Amino acid sequence: EEEDGTINGKECCRTAIHGGRGCSPVSSIMVLHAVLCLSLQGVGSFTPSPFFQGRPMDGQGGGRVLLLPPPPPIFPHALRDKVWVTWSVSCKQSGKADIQTKWTEEGDLFGLVNMSKLMYCKPFPSHVGPPKIESVRQSVEFLVKEVGLPPSQATKALSSCPQLLAINVSRQRDKLLFLREEIGFSDDVIIKVVSRFPHILKYNVQRNMRPTLTFISTSLDFSDDEIRSVLERQPGVLQLRVDDNLHPKVFFMVQELGLRRDDLKKILLVNPMILTLSLENYIRPKMEFLKNEFDLEPMDVAKILKLHPPFLTYTQESIRNTFAYLAGFGVMQADIRRAMRHCPQIFGLRSARLQENIDFLREQVFLTPPQLTQVICSYPRILTYKVEPKIRAKLSYLTEELDLSPQELVQEILHFPQLLGYSLDKRLRNRIQHLQRCGIAVILRARKERSPGRERRKAITLKSAMTPSDSIFFSRYKEKDTLHWLAYGTIRYDPYGVEKDEEDKFSIDLTDFH
């Protein structure tokens, strides 16, 4: 408070930051919060009246309440109608501030701009001090006006990455220009990337971003669209150094895992997070873990990664838990290792998800424990499917369409568990309806022994109907009208489209016939 009775916001902020005049760290942060709210509204100094009003609190005399005016348009969600900052009158006499803050609504500036992180983060050494309010204003305006973030997202970005306040806006503008022109990000993608990963604006363009971009495009042979796809999902790749990080990691995967460059490229396109994993602290220990506990050689791990790239990011605890869970159902260790080689995604599932599928197969499909173990060993992928609505919808359709009894359904699943892995609309319903139009019945395994020979010649099993590819299936089983033309029409294959018999109206040119 100045001699003329006004409150100096800058001096109050400086006092709070450095903890002067006996202020405690907590009280200092709260004072800084209040002054920041005023400064963002363009208030440098203000008179106590009408903003300050006498208000006793908890029996303390002479408390003051600070009432802020409505927030400006640039911060429609950051500030609220009222901020109450109270302190005791004995502050001047004792030099100790007893400050309490109370906001009228949640989601205020306390939650959006984390000033405690801002005050104690590494970019601000003691001889430099915390950032000035003007730098906060410039950073927020840059994120809102030039990057395109909403005000709430801009304040959240500064809260999660307060180091941006120590970086000049012109340098951040250079990085924004790099993202837009050299990488080719659109404005919408830039908004998405910066709001999710604001640290990208603090990377060094010459030392990190541009060499990394060159390495990805040349050594890994990524196209421009593939580079944008990788960096949009994993922008943290741009902070990695080529010589110390990326090159040793790629060399390890090519030389020790035996991956070809094309295979490595496909793996990284699916799961670019692998590039951010530490080679010495994560990848090598994971290889030793898989070797010691599951007897997996580097070549085996390479095959697993080609089949399911996210496998390398699964934690050791998750893999151990899944192994113990399957072993508890009586699955042999050899079968679990085989499941890891052919269906590694089950080792990334939570135990609750596995238990849900197990309970459904046991309680709704009525599989006994030995039958359940048989199904898991023969087709472990069944544990990765969602019960609702996929598996339940498939079972309902097969039961109603084929008039299956519970025992017949169990026999079909035991004989052919892959049946539950096919798409309901694209494979199951489509092929069964096609066979019905062709006059071919679907015979069940339990009814096959009871069917006469003449009926069996006009019927096929579910396995024979579902396993062929579309081209083989639809060429093997044709509808009745097509069979009529093939039986009674004059069919001639003319690859060059010549020598057509125009007098024979029943001739069919099979050049484009599927």
Side-chain angles (χ1 to χ4, degrees):
E1 189 171 0
E2 303 292 348
E3 294 181 358
D4 57 357
T6 61
I7 304 298
N8 191 323
K10 293 183 179 179
E11 181 64 27
C12 183
C13 181
R14 187 180 302 111
T15 301
I17 290 173
H18 295 287
R21 301 180 183 176
C23 291
S24 63
V26 176
S27 302
S28 301
I29 295 173
M30 292 181 177
V31 172
L32 182 59
H33 282 159
V35 176
L36 176 62
C37 297
L38 294 175
S39 300
L40 291 176
Q41 298 184 84
V43 179
S45 62
F46 47 90
T47 58
S49 177
F51 296 99
F52 283 86
Q53 303 173 1
R55 179 185 179 94
M57 187 173 182
D58 295 335
Q60 299 177 4
R64 291 177 177 181
V65 179
L66 172 64
L67 303 179
L68 296 186
I74 190 175
F75 287 100
H77 302 293
L79 300 177
R80 300 304 177 185
D81 294 337
K82 296 181 180 179
V83 175
W84 295 26
V85 182
T86 64
W87 61 91
S88 64
V89 208
S90 60
C91 179
K92 284 187 177 180
Q93 302 174 357
S94 63
K96 296 182 180 180
D98 180 17
I99 300 178
Q100 300 178 3
T101 58
K102 178 179 180 182
W103 292 73
T104 57
E105 298 182 21
E106 294 182 357
D108 48 42
L109 193 61
F110 283 83
L112 297 177
V113 181
N114 193 328
M115 298 302 297
S116 60
K117 288 184 178 179
L118 187 148
M119 291 177 61
Y120 300 111
C121 59
K122 293 181 180 179
F124 310 125
S126 57
H127 67 278
V128 176
K132 299 179 180 180
I133 297 299
E134 184 63 26
S135 66
V136 178
R137 185 195 307 275
Q138 292 177 358
S139 297
V140 174
E141 289 181 353
F142 168 75
L143 293 175
V144 173
K145 295 181 179 179
E146 300 189 35
V147 179
L149 295 181
S152 59
Q153 292 291 335
T155 50
K156 287 181 180 179
L158 292 177
S159 175
S160 61
C161 184
Q163 295 88 344
L164 292 178
L165 298 173
I167 302 176
N168 192 281
V169 172
S170 61
R171 294 173 57 191
Q172 298 185 43
R173 191 175 290 113
D174 295 337
K175 297 158 189 175
L176 180 63
L177 191 66
F178 175 83
L179 297 176
R180 183 175 287 123
E181 295 187 356
E182 297 193 32
I183 297 180
F185 280 161
S186 63
D187 292 340
D188 294 337
V189 174
I190 289 177
I191 293 175
K192 177 182 176 182
V193 170
V194 174
S195 61
R196 184 170 54 91
F197 196 81
H199 298 75
I200 196 172
L201 293 178
K202 72 176 185 179
Y203 298 155
N204 189 287
V205 175
Q206 301 297 333
R207 188 168 60 248
N208 296 97
M209 302 175 76
R210 187 171 286 119
T212 300
L213 181 64
T214 303
F215 177 82
I216 294 176
S217 60
T218 56
S219 299
L220 299 178
D221 195 23
F222 279 15
S223 64
D224 293 341
D225 292 338
E226 292 170 342
I227 291 175
R228 284 189 287 270
S229 175
V230 168
L231 295 181
E232 180 181 352
R233 289 176 293 158
Q234 201 66 38
V237 174
L238 289 173
Q239 70 173 330
L240 305 176
R241 292 177 177 270
V242 174
D243 296 334
D244 301 337
N245 197 311
L246 290 176
H247 188 271
K249 202 173 300 179
V250 171
F251 182 82
F252 171 84
M253 294 183 180
V254 172
Q255 294 295 325
E256 299 194 28
L257 297 185
L259 291 171
R260 297 182 303 175
R261 189 172 67 171
D262 294 341
D263 297 330
L264 180 59
K265 177 181 176 180
K266 294 178 182 178
I267 291 172
L268 295 179
L269 285 175
V270 175
N271 186 25
M273 184 181 176
I274 294 178
L275 288 174
T276 64
L277 301 177
S278 172
L279 178 60
E280 300 299 332
N281 298 330
Y282 190 91
I283 297 180
R284 290 188 184 277
K286 177 64 71 63
M287 297 296 298
E288 295 178 0
F289 164 75
L290 296 175
K291 169 64 177 177
N292 297 333
E293 298 199 18
F294 299 97
D295 197 23
L296 292 178
E297 299 293 338
M299 298 296 292
D300 298 326
V301 178
K303 294 179 181 179
I304 293 176
L305 289 180
K306 288 190 287 185
L307 182 63
H308 187 65
F311 177 76
L312 194 59
T313 60
Y314 294 161
T315 62
Q316 297 183 14
E317 181 181 2
S318 175
I319 296 176
R320 284 196 184 100
N321 291 340
T322 304
F323 185 90
Y325 189 87
L326 295 178
F329 281 97
V331 183
M332 303 299 294
Q333 293 187 4
D335 294 326
I336 298 178
R337 294 190 183 97
R338 185 170 61 87
M340 182 177 290
R341 291 183 174 92
H342 296 283
C343 185
Q345 52 266 41
I346 65 174
F347 291 89
L349 299 177
R350 295 175 299 175
S351 300
R353 175 72 176 279
L354 294 172
Q355 187 64 42
E356 180 183 3
N357 288 28
I358 292 293
D359 292 341
F360 177 81
L361 294 174
R362 186 167 47 191
E363 298 173 3
Q364 303 296 325
V365 188
F366 305 108
L367 293 178
T368 63
Q371 292 173 341
L372 184 60
T373 303
Q374 177 183 343
V375 170
I376 294 175
C377 293
S378 59
Y379 191 62
R381 193 184 297 270
I382 197 173
L383 297 178
T384 64
Y385 300 141
K386 292 183 178 180
V387 173
E388 299 291 350
K390 292 187 176 181
I391 298 181
R392 191 183 298 276
K394 295 172 187 177
L395 293 178
S396 300
Y397 173 76
L398 293 173
T399 303
E400 296 175 2
E401 186 68 24
L402 302 179
D403 193 20
L404 294 175
S405 65
Q407 294 77 14
E408 292 173 340
L409 180 61
V410 169
Q411 291 299 320
E412 291 296 329
I413 293 178
L414 288 176
H415 177 66
F416 187 49
Q418 293 83 354
L419 181 67
L420 299 179
Y422 293 116
S423 171
L424 176 59
D425 295 326
K426 296 180 179 180
R427 182 64 68 98
L428 293 175
R429 183 180 286 115
N430 186 25
R431 293 199 176 184
I432 290 177
Q433 291 177 353
H434 180 79
L435 291 173
Q436 291 174 352
R437 291 192 296 267
C438 294
I440 301 175
V442 176
I443 189 171
L444 302 177
R445 183 172 181 82
R447 304 176 189 174
K448 188 174 181 181
E449 302 297 333
R450 304 193 300 267
S451 301
R454 183 180 297 274
E455 294 184 4
R456 280 187 290 175
R457 286 196 296 267
K458 298 180 182 180
I460 59 174
T461 62
L462 274 173
K463 185 175 182 179
S464 300
M466 299 302 161
T467 51
S469 62
D470 286 343
S471 58
I472 295 177
F473 176 81
F474 288 105
S475 63
R476 181 180 299 171
Y477 307 106
K478 298 179 175 61
E479 298 183 20
K480 290 183 179 180
D481 295 339
T482 305
L483 291 174
H484 172 78
W485 282 91
L486 293 177
Y488 299 102
T490 303
I491 302 172
R492 180 177 59 258
Y493 175 66
D494 185 6
Y496 300 100
V498 297
E499 298 182 2
K500 294 182 178 179
D501 186 2
E502 297 182 358
E503 296 181 357
D504 189 355
K505 62 180 180 180
F506 295 102
S507 297
I508 300 177
D509 186 6
L510 296 182
T511 304
D512 298 324
F513 185 79
H514 183 66

